[in-house]
Amino acid sequence: MCKIHILCLWLICLLFCSCLDSHVQVTVFPETKQLLAEKVFVEEIFAADFVEKAGDNFVISSTKTDTTLFLYATPTLKFKSATGLKGEGPNEVKMFPMFCHTLDEDFLYIRGYEPYSIRKIKLQEDGSFSFVGMYHLDGGEYNFMNVIKDSLLVYYEGNHLTVTKYDLKNKVKLGEIKKETDSHNESYYYSNRGLISANDSFVVYPYIYKKQIDIYRVDDFNLVKRISDGNKYPAPSIRDAKNITCHYFNVYAGSKYFYALYVGHKADENFSDRTLEVYDYDGNPIVKYTFDIIPHYFAVDEKEGYIYATNSNYEDYLLRYKL
């Protein structure tokens, strides 16, 4: 009788496993560490909207100031220069500057000098800009932009939950990843809304309203791995926004790993509980970081082993964490 029970249990487990999506992986981190912020005082006045690492520079964009771009040397975070004056001149910023994430250490890519173009910029040793190229874009929605090998643009359309791969040289779309939208028109509250970041080989898509991350190959846009806790989450209620649980808030795709900032509670609760989840591109969990001071916007320097960040509650400081 005991053998029959064991056999039945084994068959049930086998059947359950066969029903699971082969791409799905439930996460157990082998290690958790606390990172302590080193506060680096800055005299410059800005309100950070976006950050990016470009070569040996940590670059901040600030739309609330007349000068919109601030450069700091890495890993010291010593101020180098400020540029990007607002205006209508040929090399002035006409809209809020948005960075295109790239692993290319030689260039910085910025949309904002014109509404529908991306400037390719060579950073000089002193932090000054040399404009070396421009890519023109069609009208549309361009969020979480990534430039790959100076030829591909991978970006996100939040209103349509679409990730697009675009050939910058030939101005043609090469592929799309479309997520299912909800029946209402409030796209910010779509159940499958997320954010993206890409390196030269992979695109990662963490979800805002569920604990799930999808990893896709850049080459064919096929799903490689789905990291999920396996839970079914209710659709966000527009009428009850204060009780919506936020999951992933930010993500950075490095060369070796990607770094996903996780919230895991309601917007009106204490956001100091945020953690940073680190994975390789096979979806394997590497380490989970906790913080004494949480980063809001951040970039990762895998070569030097630092995270550089801003936090709006510490306006006079940049934050640096040793990994």
Side-chain angles (χ1 to χ4, degrees):
M1 182 66 68
C2 181
K3 289 183 178 180
I4 293 175
H5 287 165
I6 293 174
L7 179 61
C8 289
L9 181 62
W10 181 82
L11 289 172
I12 292 170
C13 291
L14 183 64
L15 178 62
F16 175 76
C17 292
S18 67
C19 293
L20 289 175
D21 185 340
S22 62
H23 293 294
V24 171
Q25 173 179 309
V26 178
T27 303
V28 178
F29 284 94
E31 186 177 13
T32 299
K33 291 182 179 179
Q34 185 181 39
L35 297 182
L36 301 179
E38 179 185 353
K39 295 185 290 185
V40 179
F41 178 75
V42 294
E43 296 181 348
E44 299 72 44
I45 298 174
F46 56 77
D49 295 304
F50 304 98
V51 303
E52 182 60 45
K53 183 183 177 296
D56 295 326
N57 302 276
F58 180 55
V59 192
I60 298 169
S61 76
S62 170
T63 59
K64 294 182 180 179
T65 50
D66 290 335
T67 301
T68 62
L69 298 166
F70 298 81
L71 282 77
Y72 295 85
T74 58
T76 63
L77 296 182
K78 181 180 179 181
F79 176 70
K80 293 178 76 170
S81 67
T83 186
L85 287 174
K86 289 180 180 177
E88 297 299 321
N91 287 323
E92 293 180 329
V93 175
K94 298 173 181 61
M95 60 172 283
F96 57 92
M98 301 172 64
F99 302 121
C100 300
H101 177 59
T102 183
L103 295 187
D104 191 331
E105 291 286 308
D106 294 325
F107 300 105
L108 177 65
Y109 296 87
I110 297 178
R111 177 192 172 197
Y113 285 93
E114 295 83 19
Y116 290 105
S117 71
I118 294 172
R119 291 283 187 102
K120 179 181 177 182
I121 299 164
K122 176 73 173 178
L123 293 178
Q124 303 303 321
E125 191 67 28
D126 62 357
S128 60
F129 282 12
S130 294
F131 297 102
V132 296
M134 183 186 300
Y135 294 112
H136 294 283
L137 304 173
D138 297 328
E141 182 188 1
Y142 296 88
N143 295 310
F144 305 115
M145 296 174 291
N146 303 263
V147 171
I148 298 172
K149 298 179 180 178
D150 196 36
S151 61
L152 296 178
L153 177 69
V154 175
Y155 63 93
Y156 184 59
E157 297 175 80
N159 289 332
H160 305 287
L161 302 191
T162 301
V163 183
T164 299
K165 179 170 57 175
Y166 181 79
D167 186 332
L168 288 167
K169 309 285 188 181
N170 298 304
K171 300 181 180 180
V172 61
K173 289 184 179 181
L174 300 177
E176 290 183 332
I177 301 165
K178 288 183 175 291
K179 302 291 184 180
E180 184 180 355
T181 60
D182 296 352
S183 57
H184 59 76
N185 294 321
E186 295 289 340
S187 62
Y188 186 80
Y189 295 103
Y190 284 163
S191 302
N192 287 323
R193 190 175 181 91
L195 44 149
I196 70 166
S197 188
N199 69 4
D200 291 350
S201 302
F202 298 97
V203 182
V204 292
Y205 188 108
Y207 290 72
I208 296 174
Y209 302 118
K210 64 179 79 173
K211 195 172 190 338
Q212 181 174 313
I213 302 172
D214 293 344
I215 307 173
Y216 297 89
R217 277 191 297 268
V218 168
D219 287 348
D220 54 18
F221 264 20
N222 284 339
L223 181 66
V224 175
K225 183 70 69 173
R226 173 164 290 159
I227 304 166
S228 172
D229 63 0
N231 293 329
K232 298 292 185 182
Y233 290 93
S237 173
I238 303 169
R239 297 179 180 178
D240 194 21
K242 67 179 182 179
N243 286 316
I244 294 174
T245 296
C246 300
H247 289 272
Y248 290 100
F249 176 77
N250 203 350
V251 63
Y252 183 93
S255 177
K256 189 175 182 181
Y257 303 123
F258 68 89
Y259 307 75
L261 193 62
Y262 184 71
V263 179
H265 49 71
K266 299 171 186 176
D268 61 346
E269 294 177 349
N270 185 358
F271 268 35
S272 63
D273 292 338
R274 295 179 190 178
T275 58
L276 189 68
E277 299 177 354
V278 183
Y279 300 86
D280 66 21
Y281 290 97
D282 290 324
N284 298 312
I286 304 301
V287 62
K288 179 166 67 176
Y289 293 117
T290 63
F291 301 93
D292 60 339
I293 302 174
I294 60 171
H296 286 176
Y297 301 105
F298 69 94
V300 182
D301 187 341
E302 290 184 325
K303 182 176 68 174
E304 297 289 345
Y306 282 102
I307 295 173
Y308 312 116
T310 63
N311 181 311
S312 59
N313 296 317
Y314 295 83
E315 294 181 346
D316 296 330
Y317 298 93
L318 297 178
L319 304 178
R320 181 173 63 180
Y321 310 83
K322 183 62 179 175
L323 297 175

